[in-house]
Amino acid sequence: MRRVALIPGDGRPHAIGDLALGPDGALWLPDSTAPVLWRLAPGAEKPERWLEHGEFNSLQGAVVAPDGATLFLADYQGGLLRVDLATREVRRLEPPANT
């Protein structure tokens, strides 16, 4: 099924440039303009503001780990981030030395 689900208005600009599909059918929507990670639950009419975080500067790509417990985000300014979907903890992944 195909449909449109709009981001709820909050007076700020929003830009969803990517999405990731979780094993439960939820869509994860990184916002590259506002520091927000949106979630569209299966059957929901509109996305919910799932997490707003200071580490989110310009979210780009997203992928859910196969076990469905972790979401990895690419941030244009901040590098790679790991989000624990059970606790909503955000952790920056440090690059290996000499890279």
Side-chain angles (χ1 to χ4, degrees):
M1 172 175 35
R2 215 173 169 182
R3 65 185 178 91
V4 174
L6 300 176
I7 297 295
D10 63 2
R12 297 185 291 179
H14 296 283
I16 306 301
D18 197 9
L19 61 86
L21 178 62
D24 64 350
L27 288 176
W28 296 97
L29 309 161
D31 194 325
S32 60
T33 304
V36 179
L37 176 62
W38 300 90
R39 180 180 182 265
L40 181 61
E45 291 295 316
K46 61 183 177 181
E48 66 174 310
R49 180 182 290 109
W50 192 80
L51 181 61
E52 189 161 342
H53 199 278
E55 289 283 347
F56 300 164
N57 296 300
S58 180
L59 295 177
Q60 304 296 315
V63 64
V64 179
D67 65 4
T70 304
L71 178 71
F72 294 98
L73 296 168
D75 188 279
Y76 185 75
Q77 293 177 345
L80 295 177
L81 303 169
R82 178 189 180 276
V83 180
D84 183 309
L85 296 179
T87 65
R88 300 185 188 206
E89 177 187 12
V90 177
R91 187 174 53 129
R92 182 182 307 274
L93 299 177
E94 296 301 324
N98 299 320
T99 60

